[in-house]
Amino acid sequence: MNKKTLTLTGLFLTTFLLITINLFSAQNAESKSQNPLSLGFQIINNSQGTTLYQKYLDYLQIVDLTQGAKINFVYGNITDLGSRKGAYGGNDPQFERQTISQVWSNLSSENSSLFCITNGQFFRNDRNSSTELAFPVKSDGIIVSDGYAGEIEFPDEKLMLEVWNDRALISKFQPNNLQFSKAPNLIVGLQENADKGVENKTGRTFIGVKDRDGDRLNETILIFTSKKATQPHAAKILKSFGATQIIMLDGGGSTQLMCQGNSYISSPRTIPQMIAIFSGN
């Protein structure tokens, strides 16, 4: 066997091995997720790249970025910039608090592909009409807030969700990630087991990411919202749908969900920052 034949044989074996690994990864990723209908969830709304499931008080959205669906981190009007007062050297603005229906009305008039809106970042829950966010948020390439909490609160339990047009990633948050992340959209939250009343049945908003085809890119975002759930329950549902990484966002009375103009989880609480989900065109 000559050198050329050996090289071709090596290339063939390498290619075959890579294909086998990718197929196994895809099958393994798929095997970890269950059919939502077998879990008792029912589809109550869907559009291009977006599906909303419900089971009793639990709701779960599947957002498929490969089908043009997207999420945006929206926020209220800034009433005080809070220049250089942020936890990591940036700004710590005051954001106008809004009802979820106000935001739906404004966004849906601008973009007919708006699918759902849910709550997002933790914030200082005072009685003022404007308030600060606890942790960082980046929206459309701009770091809109560093947050006020910094390393004072949950110093070793913060995670960040980064979102690009075609993929998402949840990883441990480090302060320098905020400046160096290339993702246009980013939000910082907490680990699934951080002490936010772990076993309390209360409003929960959790997000998971899923690699559907085993290519090591998370093309699917899963958003769990419930009026009454424990943290382990929220995480379990996301994992049942195939989530491999999970982040916890604000909950309690902040948890709200509106889809296609219908309110599924309502609360009298106004909030400064929300997550808008758009269907693909």
Side-chain angles (χ1 to χ4, degrees):
M1 187 179 292
N2 59 37
K3 186 175 181 180
K4 182 177 181 180
T5 303
L6 285 171
T7 301
L8 290 174
T9 302
L11 286 172
F12 172 79
L13 289 173
T14 300
T15 302
F16 176 78
L17 182 61
L18 288 173
I19 291 173
T20 302
I21 290 171
N22 285 334
L23 285 173
F24 176 79
S25 298
Q27 292 170 356
N28 191 46
E30 195 61 33
S31 68
K32 291 179 180 178
S33 64
Q34 300 180 42
N35 186 323
L37 300 181
S38 71
L39 296 171
F41 282 85
Q42 299 295 324
I43 296 174
I44 57 174
N45 219 315
N46 68 337
S47 188
Q48 177 73 22
T50 49
T51 305
L52 175 65
Y53 290 91
Q54 179 185 8
K55 179 182 179 182
Y56 304 121
L57 299 177
D58 296 344
Y59 296 87
L60 192 133
Q61 297 175 67
I62 295 182
V63 184
D64 187 346
L65 301 176
T66 66
Q67 294 190 40
K70 64 178 182 178
I71 72 173
N72 283 352
F73 300 136
V74 300
Y75 48 92
N77 293 326
I78 294 175
T79 58
D80 183 343
L81 191 58
S83 298
R84 313 301 292 180
K85 294 181 180 179
Y88 305 106
N91 298 338
D92 179 25
Q94 296 272 340
F95 296 93
E96 183 181 3
R97 297 171 61 158
Q98 305 171 86
T99 66
I100 201 167
S101 57
Q102 285 176 315
V103 177
W104 180 274
S105 178
N106 293 336
L107 285 183
S108 61
S109 65
E110 299 171 0
N111 192 330
S112 61
S113 64
L114 181 62
F115 183 70
C116 288
I117 297 178
T118 188
N119 62 294
Q121 183 59 270
F122 298 94
F123 61 94
R124 195 186 299 280
N125 189 21
D126 47 32
R127 296 181 179 274
N128 297 328
S129 59
S130 297
T131 192
E132 308 156 272
L133 304 182
F135 307 127
V137 171
K138 182 180 181 182
S139 179
D140 290 331
I142 298 172
I143 300 171
V144 297
S145 176
D146 274 17
Y148 64 80
E151 302 310 299
I152 298 172
E153 297 184 15
F154 302 95
D156 300 315
E157 298 175 281
K158 287 192 282 294
L159 301 175
M160 65 176 180
L161 166 65
E162 297 172 278
V163 182
W164 294 263
N165 290 335
D166 60 347
R167 66 193 189 280
L169 179 67
I170 294 173
S171 58
K172 186 173 179 62
F173 174 72
Q174 301 290 350
N176 59 0
N177 296 148
L178 190 58
Q179 296 296 332
F180 292 116
S181 172
K182 299 297 183 183
N185 297 287
L186 179 155
I187 191 167
V188 173
L190 299 175
Q191 296 175 2
E192 64 185 76
N193 58 353
D195 189 3
K196 281 291 185 177
V198 177
E199 295 293 342
N200 292 345
K201 290 185 176 180
T202 186
R204 303 290 183 184
T205 304
F206 279 46
I207 294 182
V209 293
K210 175 181 176 179
D211 175 11
R212 190 185 65 255
D213 56 10
D215 65 352
R216 300 185 182 182
L217 297 176
N218 301 305
E219 311 90 349
T220 306
I221 298 174
L222 309 172
I223 305 174
F224 173 89
T225 44
S226 178
K227 188 152 181 90
K228 189 178 290 186
T230 65
Q231 291 173 208
H233 175 77
K236 180 181 178 181
I237 294 298
L238 286 170
K239 290 172 184 176
S240 297
F241 275 76
T244 54
Q245 301 163 329
I246 295 172
I247 187 172
M248 174 169 56
L249 297 177
D250 198 9
S254 297
T255 300
Q256 300 174 52
L257 176 65
M258 177 170 279
C259 299
Q260 302 293 285
N262 299 312
S263 179
Y264 292 101
I265 301 178
S266 60
S267 170
R269 183 179 295 177
T270 54
I271 52 181
Q273 194 273 317
M274 303 180 195
I275 300 173
I277 298 90
F278 297 87
S279 300
N281 294 322

